[in-house]
Amino acid sequence: MTQAWSIYVELGCCDAPDDLYDDLHDRLATAHPAVGTAPNGNLSVRIFVEASTARQAIDTGLKTVSAALKDLGVTAPVVGVEAVTEAELDRRNAERDVPALAGVGEIAELFGVTRGRAGQLTKRDDFPPAVAILKSGPVYVKEQVQAFGQRWDRKGGRPAKPVVLTEAEKVLLAALRDAQAARSRATVGWAEQGDQLVVTSGEGRAFVVELKASATGEAQIPDEVIEKLSKEKLVSVTRRSDELDVELTAKGEKHAAEI
């Protein structure tokens, strides 16, 4: 079963004279030709042929174009050829040549934020690049902006304040990390000296934490160290007599890994 095919042929011929376009068009009149110039300056020809397969369509198209060029005494090599059905060509022609675009105002509407916040988002490293910079501002491909919106973590609120820990608190956090490598919870008790904490793992391994601050030489109070880590949500604590069951939180594990 045959059908109509569009055959696009690009020829290695730049700066063709105007009369060649007209003559070639006349020679190919029965094939409904479109003779023009490719983006790189080459001569291009599109004609329509009837064929059962793409291979047959290409063979017929090339023979038709080559015969027309030969009749005109023109020698030009074929540098490219494309065959698509007439239906596919119609579908492509119906598509927009320019994709939908979005500026800062449109981005603000898409995400339900202010223009100022939209402007901040466009400066992120993972935001799609602008395709043009106009007097009104940068312009982006809307589809790419929407794709960014799907992966954008929209957690609200102000950025979390950084946690500032003393050297003793850092050492205790690291000791809890090492102790919990063998067990989910570690036991924390006070050493006889008063300025030390003893962290014991599930396997009975002990880690001694000096509470003396490196800057002042003064010892921190054990309760204050535990309370600080708990207040910063770095640990969860269960008290039992003179010992504590302490477990690192996800936030605490993250900070301990950075020590």
Side-chain angles (χ1 to χ4, degrees):
M1 179 179 177
T2 63
Q3 63 177 319
W5 291 82
S6 164
I7 307 299
Y8 176 84
V9 181
E10 184 177 326
L11 302 162
C13 175
C14 292
D15 301 322
D18 292 342
D19 57 353
L20 176 58
Y21 288 83
D22 296 334
D23 293 341
L24 193 54
H25 187 279
D26 292 341
R27 290 282 179 176
L28 298 170
T30 58
H32 310 289
V35 182
T37 305
N40 60 3
N42 281 336
L43 178 65
S44 67
V45 180
R46 183 183 297 279
I47 61 174
F48 290 85
V49 301
E50 292 287 332
S52 300
T53 65
R55 181 180 294 276
Q56 292 176 359
I58 290 175
D59 288 343
T60 300
L62 288 176
K63 289 178 181 178
T64 302
V65 173
S66 296
L69 290 171
K70 184 177 180 180
D71 289 345
L72 294 172
V74 177
T75 301
V78 174
V79 297
V81 60
E82 179 190 41
V84 296
T85 62
E86 187 175 27
E88 171 61 14
L89 182 64
D90 290 341
R91 186 194 67 78
R92 293 183 183 184
N93 289 337
E95 291 182 344
R96 297 180 56 159
D97 291 335
V98 179
L101 302 176
V104 174
E106 288 77 15
I107 293 172
E109 292 179 2
L110 281 173
F111 297 156
V113 298
T114 65
R115 287 178 62 93
R117 177 59 175 146
Q120 292 176 348
L121 291 175
T122 63
K123 293 178 172 59
R124 289 175 50 132
D125 292 339
D126 58 343
F127 198 83
V131 294
I133 306 294
L134 308 178
K135 288 185 178 180
S136 58
V139 179
Y140 305 84
V141 176
K142 185 177 180 180
E143 184 178 0
Q144 294 177 352
V145 173
Q146 291 171 324
F148 165 82
Q150 293 177 354
R151 63 177 185 272
W152 171 36
D153 184 0
R154 303 189 59 159
K155 291 181 180 178
R158 297 179 179 177
K161 293 182 179 180
V163 178
V164 179
L165 301 177
T166 64
E167 286 302 316
E169 291 161 354
K170 290 179 181 179
V171 172
L172 177 56
L173 209 59
L176 288 170
R177 175 200 61 201
D178 295 339
Q180 288 186 190
R183 187 185 176 195
S184 61
R185 287 182 181 272
T187 301
V188 177
W190 283 258
E192 293 182 359
Q193 292 90 334
D195 58 358
Q196 293 179 338
L197 288 175
V198 179
V199 181
T200 307
S201 71
E203 296 180 339
R205 184 180 177 190
F207 301 83
V208 179
V209 179
E210 294 282 351
L211 299 182
K212 289 185 178 181
S214 58
T216 63
E218 297 178 358
Q220 287 185 264
I221 300 173
D223 276 337
E224 291 181 351
V225 177
I226 300 294
E227 183 180 356
K228 168 71 174 297
L229 297 182
S230 178
K231 182 178 179 181
E232 294 290 353
K233 297 183 174 20
L234 300 178
V235 299
S236 60
V237 180
T238 302
R239 181 178 292 275
R240 40 189 196 86
S241 65
D242 61 343
E243 290 185 335
L244 304 174
D245 280 340
V246 183
E247 183 177 9
L248 287 176
T249 63
K251 182 179 179 182
E253 290 176 354
K254 179 180 178 181
H255 278 74
E258 296 173 351
I259 295 175

